[in-house]
Amino acid sequence: MSHLFVFFFLGSIFMSQVIATNVFEKTVDSGVSDGHSYSYHDYAGLTNFLQSVSQNCSHIMNLFSIGKSEQDRQLWTLRITDHPNIEESEPEFLYVGNMHGNEAVGREVLIHFIQDICDRYGVDHDVTTLVDETDIYIIVSMNPDGFELQTRNNAQGYDLNRNFPDQFKEPIHPRQSETKAVTSFIERKRFNLGANLHGGSLVCNYPWDGTKTKHLTGYVSISPDDTLYKHLCGIYSNNHPTMHNSAEFPGGITNGANWYVLYGGLQDYSYSQHEMLHVTLELSTVKFPPQTVLQTEWENNRVALYRFLLPTYSSSSSSS
């Protein structure tokens, strides 16, 4: 483990002990409105929402596009920080949603997360401090075409989470527009921590997803920061009401290759090529559940989404 990661790890443990007792415990019913309904947002609805919220909270939010999908839809990205139009030396964090078009819970949860930050900044001390000390980026939908088509893959039929450069095995399929946009964006930034949001199970998955010796599924492929990754996944799992109680995954966390081996994934790419600590969050056993459960899914993930950001904030606090 590098000195940077040791410092990051110790800082995150310290900060979680200091503020874990009371931070971010408010519920949706605390009197602050989300500002939108619990329903799925198509591309037009997502665009309208992001434009509206970034205007309403322009003092902390800046909306831009990192590129376009294969069907020419914008890959909207929202920056959230206290000076959203100025480059500052602050820890950078990234959430990526909806990489698989038919895994929609993460997309909607991130919409509510953005609205919640907008509503609570300047009102809630902990949210305000987090935004002031951290540079947060959110790509709500990496695969807007797939969402519109209600398919896992992008419009060209490729799985975007098998399309990134890989340290063990180069993907055989041509790099897609969405993948090119995300890799270019990550290369331009210096992200400390991030997660991409999926559906189909309920677990926090950490590197490595691939293996050097091409072992089959069930082989634990240990990264240099295995202990740190277990700690980070534990933060999310333990702040989710049911993830940590998983019968399939002890503590609600798993090594990627031990679950199933894959190559060309975002988390291994981010970590191996850019030293960005990155995990995969599986948020729902149902990939595209009925709209009636979206409020419950948001409430289940709200605290965890905030607390997973704390190690990024704590590294800033420890170095200030």
Side-chain angles (χ1 to χ4, degrees):
M1 186 185 298
S2 69
H3 295 302
L4 172 62
F5 287 161
V6 170
F7 172 75
F8 184 90
F9 185 30
L10 293 176
S12 69
I13 293 175
F14 170 74
M15 289 305 299
S16 63
Q17 290 173 339
V18 170
I19 60 181
T21 56
N22 60 1
V23 68
F24 309 131
E25 293 291 0
K26 296 185 182 72
T27 66
V28 176
D29 297 326
S30 64
V32 179
S33 172
D34 279 311
H36 53 78
S37 63
Y38 292 96
S39 58
Y40 286 112
H41 295 69
D42 61 11
Y43 176 72
L46 172 64
T47 299
N48 290 338
F49 165 74
L50 290 172
Q51 290 175 342
S52 176
V53 75
S54 62
Q55 291 173 1
N56 292 338
C57 278
S58 59
H59 54 300
I60 60 168
M61 295 183 178
N62 179 33
L63 179 64
F64 60 97
S65 174
I66 60 169
K68 291 186 176 182
S69 69
E70 290 288 335
Q71 290 188 337
D72 212 34
R73 294 183 174 92
Q74 300 289 350
L75 301 179
W76 293 120
T77 302
L78 192 69
R79 183 187 184 194
I80 306 174
T81 189
D82 56 343
H83 299 105
N85 298 302
I86 300 174
E87 291 298 321
E88 295 184 300
S89 181
E90 293 180 338
E92 296 178 341
F93 181 92
L94 176 66
Y95 272 135
V96 179
N98 199 209
M99 185 187 304
H100 291 145
N102 65 341
E103 297 174 13
V105 170
R107 174 188 178 111
E108 296 303 321
V109 163
L110 288 176
I111 287 174
H112 287 271
F113 184 58
I114 291 166
Q115 183 67 59
D116 199 67
I117 293 175
C118 180
D119 290 341
R120 297 192 185 282
Y121 183 82
V123 177
D124 183 291
H125 174 267
D126 296 312
V127 173
T128 303
T129 302
L130 185 66
V131 171
D132 286 349
E133 300 297 331
T134 315
D135 208 354
I136 304 164
Y137 293 83
I138 300 177
I139 304 173
V140 177
S141 179
M142 182 185 162
N143 187 5
D145 298 349
F147 181 85
E148 298 297 311
L149 297 169
Q150 295 190 23
T151 181
R152 173 186 178 91
N153 299 335
N154 76 342
Q156 298 299 321
Y158 294 110
D159 186 333
L160 298 179
N161 207 34
R162 307 294 189 274
N163 198 237
F164 287 88
D166 194 277
Q167 63 177 336
F168 298 127
K169 180 181 178 181
E170 187 64 18
I172 61 175
H173 301 301
R175 198 87 68 227
Q176 298 298 289
S177 297
E178 299 89 347
T179 313
K180 290 178 182 179
V182 172
T183 55
S184 177
F185 181 55
I186 291 176
E187 288 169 0
R188 297 196 304 270
K189 306 300 294 181
R190 295 182 61 85
F191 288 112
N192 300 83
L193 178 63
N196 64 97
L197 281 55
H198 290 255
S201 190
L202 194 60
V203 66
C204 179
N205 173 94
Y206 58 89
W208 300 117
D209 278 332
T211 66
K212 182 183 298 185
T213 53
K214 310 297 188 298
H215 285 282
L216 298 177
T217 292
Y219 174 82
V220 177
S221 186
I222 300 175
S223 77
D225 295 290
D226 189 67
T227 300
L228 174 53
Y229 269 121
K230 291 176 180 176
H231 168 71
L232 291 170
C233 271
I235 290 176
Y236 201 95
S237 179
N238 290 327
N239 284 286
H240 187 285
T242 59
M243 186 181 289
H244 62 280
N245 293 324
S246 171
E248 182 179 2
F249 306 103
I253 70 174
T254 185
N255 173 265
N258 193 42
W259 184 16
Y260 63 90
V261 173
L262 70 85
Y263 300 98
L266 175 56
Q267 74 172 14
D268 279 16
Y269 161 75
S270 301
Y271 178 48
S272 65
Q273 301 203 24
H274 299 286
E275 296 189 334
M276 171 189 178
L277 293 165
H278 197 118
V279 304
T280 300
L281 298 171
E282 300 276 352
L283 300 185
S284 171
T285 56
V286 180
K287 294 184 177 183
F288 210 130
Q291 294 185 146
T292 53
V293 306
L294 290 179
Q295 181 171 359
T296 298
E297 293 293 353
W298 159 237
E299 292 170 350
N300 284 346
N301 287 282
R302 182 183 183 278
V303 173
L305 286 167
Y306 275 114
R307 288 192 175 173
F308 190 72
L309 274 160
L310 290 181
T312 319
Y313 158 66
S314 70
S315 67
S316 171
S317 301
S318 301
S319 61
S320 60

